[in-house]
Amino acid sequence: MIILLGLGFWQTDIHWRQLHKEKPTEEVTQVPVSRESFIKKIAPEAQKLEKQYGLLASISIAQAALESNWGQSELSSKYNNFFGVKSSAEQPSVKLATKEYENNQWITINDSFRVYSSWQDSMAAHAQLLVNGTSDNPQRYATVIQAKDYETAANGLVTGGYATDPTYADKIIHMIETYHLDKYDDK
């Protein structure tokens, strides 16, 4: 079992860096994160937010894990932003390089990301974004919130434009199925 967990971390770490086109960092390679402890840490908050907003806990957990590299990315570990949420004017922010998928290729851009006072604030803001949509389209993520299953919700993230990665829904679904995150769902 220990070998599988170690191999799983290595594969996920490599996969995350390939997804975000990052080179290994000393911090990521020296501080292996326990997926189980990350899930255990955020699952109660995800379940609370599901009751409050209707967002499946499995979606919150999977997105947080994927987007933050299990809480190890610079954006999540220093700035409490588990979801890669970009900032609006007058919000606390930090400018960081990020990869975006445009015109069938990955490009690097510098963008402003939201800084949160806690990871719980990040999770609440993420749920509120999905519930309220964006100023140009309040119904942007309605499919995600109305979904009764994680597959529909994950696909709703892509159709709503949450991520530029064309395989984003598959990655979220794979994360949920691999770590049995649907057991945290109340719907």
Side-chain angles (χ1 to χ4, degrees), residues 41-179:
K41 173 182 167 181
I42 70 168
E45 188 71 16
Q47 289 175 309
K48 179 182 109 181
L49 293 169
E50 180 176 349
K51 285 180 180 27
Q52 188 173 357
Y53 295 106
L55 172 63
L56 292 171
S58 61
I59 292 292
S60 292
I61 298 166
Q63 281 193 276
L66 180 66
E67 295 282 346
S68 74
N69 189 26
W70 301 95
Q72 298 299 300
S73 71
E74 179 181 10
L75 186 59
S76 64
S77 64
K78 288 185 181 178
Y79 305 107
N80 295 310
N81 186 333
F82 278 2
F83 300 94
V85 173
K86 307 234 171 90
S87 68
S88 300
E90 299 183 28
Q91 291 179 323
S93 66
V94 62
K95 193 161 229 151
L96 295 172
T98 186
K99 295 289 184 183
E100 298 287 341
Y101 193 77
E102 291 183 10
N103 300 319
N104 295 319
Q105 63 181 354
W106 287 101
I107 61 167
T108 301
I109 63 167
N110 289 316
D111 215 339
S112 293
F113 291 89
R114 181 78 192 269
V115 173
Y116 296 97
S117 58
S118 70
W119 61 266
Q120 293 93 337
D121 288 348
S122 171
M123 291 188 72
H126 171 257
Q128 291 165 4
L129 168 67
L130 296 179
V131 167
N132 299 323
T134 57
S135 58
D136 67 317
N137 184 358
Q139 296 299 310
R140 181 177 300 271
Y141 303 112
T143 302
V144 179
I145 298 302
Q146 295 166 0
K148 302 293 183 207
D149 62 86
Y150 62 85
E151 293 99 341
T152 303
N155 285 304
L157 289 167
V158 173
T159 58
Y162 187 89
T164 60
D165 181 350
T167 63
Y168 191 77
D170 295 334
K171 291 173 182 169
I172 295 298
I173 292 167
H174 178 72
M175 183 84 67
I176 291 168
E177 291 174 349
T178 299
Y179 297 99

